[in-house]
């Protein structure tokens, strides 16, 4: 299965801005707006994902709010696949199903429309987000997909912040592909 070489990873990594102490002290925020703003880098990434996923059997691409929408929808359009948004509570207008997950303080929730994967039995879903940190959002999203008539066949991230352990946790639930591991 296609992966990038070191030079290509370095190229993509250099297109992503690091913002220190955002949104709070001690966090290094990986700002993908600079990648999106660089048409060569953005296309390079999407071409790579098209090469990787073009040959896989996938029925739907699901993106996690909100940066997962950008990469997920761009890839879905290129692969001519349907796109499904996974959103925070009270954003989707029709009937939804939900999955709660724990945060450092309190709980959060992700939702999809009840008919997101339509009538398709055992639909194969590729899940996409920009980054996996502790993995709480991604884990709840995989559980949400698997609660329906669908199966998450792989979760794809642009960046995996390995030391936060999210991907290590998530790999018990689904296959994972991270373009960049930091
Ligand atoms: P988590 O549930 O801890 O894996 O957090 C993942 C979500 O938080 C993703 O949707 C990311 O967009 C966002 N996120 C967490 N940490 C960072 C970071 N250092 N830089 C940019 N986004 C982050």
């Amino acid at each position: 299965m296609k992966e990038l070489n070191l030079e290509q990873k370095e190229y993509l990594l250099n297109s992503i801005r690091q913002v220190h102490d955002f949104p709070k002290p001690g966090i290094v925020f990986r700002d993908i707006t600079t990648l999106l703003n660089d048409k060569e880098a953005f296309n390079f990434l999407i071409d790579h994902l098209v090469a990787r996923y073009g040959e896989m059997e996938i029925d739907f691409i699901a993106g996690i709010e909100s940066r997962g929408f950008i990469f997920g929808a761009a890839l879905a359009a290129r692969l001519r696949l349907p796109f499904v948004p996974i959103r925070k509570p009270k954003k989707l207008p029709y009937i939804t199903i939900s999955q709660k997950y724990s945060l450092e303080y309190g709980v959060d929730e992700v939702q999809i429309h009840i008919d997101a994967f339509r009538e398709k039995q055992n639909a194969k879903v590729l899940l996409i987000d920009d980054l996996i940190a502790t993995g709480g959002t991604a884990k709840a999203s995989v559980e949400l997909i698997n609660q329906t008539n669908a199966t998450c066949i792989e979760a794809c991230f642009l960046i995996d912040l390995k030391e936060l352990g999210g991907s290590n946790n998530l790999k018990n639930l689904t296959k994972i592909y991270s373009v960049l591991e930091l």
Side-chain angles (χ1 to χ4, degrees):
M1 214 18 99
K2 295 180 180 75
E3 293 192 17
L4 297 181
N5 66 33
L6 270 180
E7 196 185 329
Q8 292 169 320
K9 287 183 184 177
E10 199 66 29
Y11 167 66
L12 272 186
L13 188 59
N14 287 336
S15 73
I16 301 166
R17 175 164 54 197
Q18 291 188 45
V19 182
H20 289 261
D21 300 318
F22 181 89
K24 50 186 182 187
I27 305 282
V28 181
F29 193 85
R30 309 284 168 166
D31 175 16
I32 53 96
T33 64
T34 48
L35 182 157
L36 301 174
N37 203 276
D38 175 342
K39 67 181 192 318
E40 302 300 337
F42 189 22
N43 272 287
F44 179 78
L45 171 65
I46 299 299
D47 286 347
H48 167 57
L49 296 179
V50 167
R52 181 178 174 84
Y53 291 112
E55 291 153 20
M56 243 190 230
E57 223 185 289
I58 298 169
D59 298 309
F60 294 88
I61 293 182
I64 303 176
E65 183 172 354
S66 57
R67 280 160 276 162
F69 293 176
I70 301 169
F71 300 114
L75 181 62
R78 286 279 301 274
L79 293 179
R80 303 193 68 77
L81 288 171
F83 177 76
V84 171
I86 295 182
R87 302 211 63 178
K88 293 292 163 72
K90 301 200 172 115
K91 301 277 190 183
L92 290 168
Y94 187 56
I95 305 163
T96 56
I97 37 181
S98 302
Q99 181 72 44
K100 288 196 167 62
Y101 60 100
S102 311
L103 297 170
E104 203 176 340
Y105 304 102
V107 288
D108 210 341
E109 198 171 330
V110 283
Q111 299 188 329
I112 50 173
H113 273 148
I114 193 160
D115 57 355
F117 304 119
R118 305 199 291 260
E119 303 296 299
K120 179 120 186 113
Q121 280 311 305
N122 205 16
K124 296 181 176 62
V125 181
L126 171 69
L127 177 68
I128 297 209
D129 202 2
D130 66 328
L131 183 145
I132 180 163
T134 65
T137 326
K139 184 164 176 283
S141 299
V142 173
E143 287 166 346
L144 185 65
I145 292 166
N146 292 346
Q147 259 190 65
T148 66
N149 52 345
T151 306
C152 179
I153 53 143
E154 184 156 297
C156 173
F157 305 96
L158 172 56
I159 300 170
D160 177 2
L161 299 182
K162 278 228 110 144
E163 62 183 21
L164 293 176
S167 53
N168 209 25
N169 233 332
L170 187 68
K171 71 174 195 265
N172 301 319
L173 282 186
T174 190
K175 285 208 296 184
I176 301 178
Y177 174 60
S178 303
V179 180
L180 307 171
E181 290 184 345
L182 304 178

